[in-house]
Amino acid sequence: MILYYESATYLNISSNQNIGGLGWLALSQLIQKSSCLVGLDASNMPLLECPARTLSRALQFSRLTVLHLENCYLTGRPLFTLVSGLTFSPALQELYLASNGLNGSQDSMQLGDLVKYNCSLKVLDLRDNHISDTGLEDICEGLMVPNSGLRCLVLWNNQLTHQSMRHLAKALYCVKNLETLNLGKNALRNEGIQRLKDSLIINQSVQKLGLASTRLTCEGAVALAEFIAESRCIRRLDVRRNLLRAGGLMALSLALRINKSLIRVDLDRTPKEEKVSCNNA
């Protein structure tokens, strides 16, 4: 019916747990043949290897620009099969793969290749996975390819630490298009921000930087302030749910007086209380 009338531009079939092989085959035919369909949400449905192979072939010839596959158990062989088709998808611009259990070994290699070879991809959302430090290195290698067009990378809650920030820093020296970088809910700590600071200053593309729940203290805020004072393109910064006290907030405030591009800083409504030491006589 959808293919006959050719009027649907966005299709949401998420959370239909009972769709089997024939259902995925029908959906793949629709994706391949429709001239109007540009968005698909098939989240919360198990996408096993056989359906992934069918969908992969269809994606090579589709006009889809937006694809949501959150919580589809896309790890291992199914992801490898799907990426083989996504790599050559000429229209795909936004890919959402949250909560798939993606790991930092084979899965991250596939994602790195996807970023490297799909020049049309602009948004890659990997929140709530297990990319880890080793996996981020693979993704950063894909980012450093000159023809990478990725503009938004979401790595929220992926078990990253300050160790992998050296790989991201190396990539930030090279990337020209990345505008949004979300590293929230990862234990980057002050060491991670220190490793990123110089590359963020040199990078002239990042406009939105998400650092919520990254265990920053005033020392990390001072490093961020140095970046803010030097940056000419940063427009939004999120540092909520960190351990910022008066000293860190003051450093950010002073940097804001110098910066001319930042228009929004997300902070906790209630600042952290200062530690008071009492000397007993």
Side-chain angles (χ1 to χ4, degrees), residues 104-130:
S105 53
Q106 295 298 319
D107 291 343
S108 61
M109 292 176 61
Q110 305 308 321
L111 296 170
D113 287 344
L114 177 62
V115 172
K116 182 184 298 184
Y117 296 116
N118 188 317
C119 303
S120 66
L121 187 65
K122 293 179 172 57
V123 177
L124 181 59
D125 189 334
L126 301 173
R127 71 184 67 214
D128 297 321
N129 282 295
H130 310 292

Side-chain angles (χ1 to χ4, degrees), residues 92-111:
L92 186 67
Q93 297 182 18
E94 301 179 20
L95 180 61
Y96 299 86
L97 297 175
S99 305
N100 274 295
L102 302 175
N103 60 56
S105 53
Q106 295 298 319
D107 291 343
S108 61
M109 292 176 61
Q110 305 308 321
L111 296 170

Side-chain angles (χ1 to χ4, degrees), residues 17-28:
Q17 299 287 333
N18 296 323
I19 289 183
L22 291 177
W24 283 108
L25 179 60
L27 177 63
S28 299

Side-chain angles (χ1 to χ4, degrees), residues 196-229:
L196 287 177
K197 182 188 67 175
D198 291 339
S199 60
L200 284 170
I201 291 174
I202 293 174
N203 176 276
Q204 294 297 315
S205 66
V206 175
Q207 299 178 17
K208 299 178 182 179
L209 181 61
L211 295 171
S213 301
T214 51
R215 304 186 187 180
L216 301 182
T217 67
C218 292
E219 181 183 343
V222 171
L224 277 176
E226 294 178 29
F227 154 61
I228 292 171

